[in-house]
Amino acid sequence: MSLMTIERHILTEERRMGATSGTFTNLLYDIALAAKMISSEVRRAGINNIIGATGDVNVQGEAVQKLDIYSNDLLIGILSRSERVCAIGSEENAEAVIVPEQWAGKYVVNMDPLDGSSNIGVNASIGTIFSILPKQSEGKIATGDDCLQPGRNQLAAGYVMYGSSTVMVYSTGYGVYGFTLDPSVGEFVLSHNRMRFPDRCKYYSVNEGNYAYWDKPTRQYIDYIKAVGDSPARPFGHRYIGAMVADFHRNLIDGGVFLYPTEESKPQGKLRLLVEANPMAFLAEQAGGWATSGTGRIMDIMPTDLHQRVPVMMGNQEEVARYESYMRDGAG
Ligand code: AHG
Ligand code: MN
Ligand code: MN
């Protein structure tokens, strides 16, 4: 029996990227290690009574759950002492965490340590999202601007989904690979080789309760995919769990699109460009899909703020193109 563990796989990917120092491999190991620790905490969450809000709000003004803080502190603790990272942009921190000179390395990590927090209290799927970028500034110490890079600069990106199993999906720009955690031995084992969106778009995932607040082209597009038709086979099924990681993961495996469009009260949508949209867009493109803000490629947006938001539509390439044409020209 030949098992491909994530460690072996990452080593092969590093060689493919032409990197030889081992730093990149070790950085991905660090993230996999944090993922195992978060997974173990998630599995014990109910038992430990770790569930529940701390009473604080994060920089986005949303209620912070205990697991968010645990995941954020853990990842920052591991990454900032690893000597591989110089700056960390986290959804949970107002400013980028700048690693002091003695531990500073050459990579930048942007992350959503715990995605889908509202699912914690109801024991549903949650995740972790990460994006790895090269340091841009001169010298050893990073600046906050090192986190503000367009998605096309990403060297790697991925997510961990704490679902019915824990799965880590990542790409270094040579395809997308998924690993399932075997909790009995604590190893991520290759379970999804070269992941690609199926040609057929089976599902759409969006918070449809917001329909009345969407722009007209978005409403028309959703009307279109719900109408009966042969090509493509419509209506698509609707699936929405409210954690981008889990919705994206299902669509990647079964075929589908994920949307979080603008709304009257959210002119930039809800999702964060640097910690959610860019890493997922990188994976979408690597898996043969597309990712748009409605008006252009997400990964070409030049960020100006660590916490800026962006409307998102990603997944099946044909459907993303159709949505863009609705946004440009209106229905049909
Ligand atoms: P987070 O828990 O990191 O704040 O992210 C939640 C995000 C995303 O994962 C999900 O797709 C979306 O918010 C759900 O929003 P709605 O509840 O508005 O549908
Ligand atoms: Mn999130
Ligand atoms: Mn989060």
Side-chain angles (χ1 to χ4, degrees):
M1 186 175 70
S2 136
L3 281 187
M4 175 65 94
T5 61
I6 203 162
E7 280 78 5
R8 264 179 61 203
H9 195 266
I10 292 169
L11 201 59
T12 322
E13 290 297 280
E14 177 160 30
R15 287 199 200 107
R16 233 182 338 178
M17 292 169 74
T20 49
S21 68
T23 314
F24 189 76
T25 299
N26 287 325
L27 172 54
L28 280 164
Y29 284 179
D30 290 340
I31 294 173
L33 170 67
K36 288 182 211 173
M37 295 174 73
I38 296 170
S39 178
S40 143
E41 208 59 26
V42 167
R43 303 297 170 210
R44 289 207 314 253
I47 303 156
N48 285 357
N49 197 22
I50 204 170
I51 291 178
T54 54
D56 294 335
V57 291
N58 69 10
V59 290
Q60 321 265 348
E62 297 152 346
V64 173
Q65 307 281 333
K66 286 181 187 172
L67 267 175
D68 299 48
I69 295 173
Y70 174 84
S71 309
N72 194 42
D73 291 352
L74 180 77
L75 276 158
I76 290 176
I78 290 178
L79 295 175
S80 63
R81 297 293 180 97
S82 69
E83 301 187 19
R84 313 187 229 280
V85 173
C86 58
I88 305 163
S90 168
E91 185 197 285
E92 299 296 341
N93 294 72
E95 308 286 339
V97 175
I98 305 297
V99 177
E101 186 167 4
Q102 72 263 38
W103 297 311
K106 59 181 177 180
Y107 294 107
V108 173
V109 176
N110 287 333
M111 62 177 189
D112 178 355
L114 213 286
D115 174 61
S117 327
S118 65
N119 281 358
I120 298 170
V122 294
N123 306 81
S125 295
I126 48 182
T128 296
I129 309 176
F130 62 92
S131 161
I132 302 177
L133 297 145
K135 180 173 186 294
Q136 294 290 336
S137 56
E138 298 291 319
K140 200 135 198 267
I141 306 176
T143 70
D145 285 353
D146 280 302
C147 293
L148 303 182
Q149 299 185 48
R152 60 171 182 264
N153 284 11
Q154 289 172 109
L155 301 169
Y159 60 81
V160 184
M161 183 181 75
Y162 315 100
S164 54
S165 333
T166 295
V167 182
M168 180 159 164
V169 172
Y170 86 103
S171 175
T172 59
Y174 297 90
V176 179
Y177 298 87
F179 300 78
T180 302
L181 181 64
D182 179 341
S184 59
V185 291
E187 279 284 6
F188 279 107
V189 181
L190 182 64
S191 49
H192 299 78
N193 200 13
R194 294 206 154 275
M195 300 174 86
R196 307 272 306 168
F197 284 96
D199 288 341
R200 181 171 163 225
C201 187
K202 205 168 157 190
Y203 296 124
Y204 73 105
S205 306
V206 67
N207 186 340
E208 205 160 346
N210 296 324
Y211 183 94
Y213 303 126
W214 296 339
D215 52 62
K216 195 171 168 202
T218 299
R219 289 201 308 263
Q220 288 174 327
Y221 173 73
I222 296 295
D223 292 344
Y224 168 84
I225 63 179
K226 287 163 67 175
V228 176
D230 293 336
S231 179
R234 288 171 288 143
F236 303 162
H238 179 248
R239 297 283 187 282
Y240 192 71
I241 186 66
M244 185 190 202
V245 165
D247 282 311
F248 180 95
H249 187 71
R250 180 204 322 98
N251 293 340
L252 175 57
I253 292 175
D254 285 345
V257 284
F258 172 88
L259 296 89
Y260 211 112
T262 59
E263 290 166 23
E264 267 167 37
S265 62
K266 297 178 194 144
Q268 297 306 317
K270 178 181 181 187
L271 300 179
R272 298 79 170 175
L273 174 63
L274 294 170
V275 302
E276 294 173 324
N278 271 339
M280 298 311 243
F282 184 84
L283 293 169
E285 290 194 11
Q286 283 294 317
W290 275 0
T292 183
S293 64
T295 51
R297 186 183 183 224
I298 284 176
M299 288 203 288
D300 283 338
I301 298 170
M302 197 56 217
T304 53
D305 184 89
L306 187 59
H307 297 284
Q308 87 187 63
R309 296 170 192 258
V310 66
V312 166
M313 155 62 161
M314 59 173 69
N316 179 282
Q317 200 177 109
E318 195 185 342
E319 288 308 316
V320 176
R322 196 189 317 280
Y323 180 70
E324 277 189 334
S325 81
Y326 269 73
M327 292 298 282
R328 199 175 44 238
D329 310 322

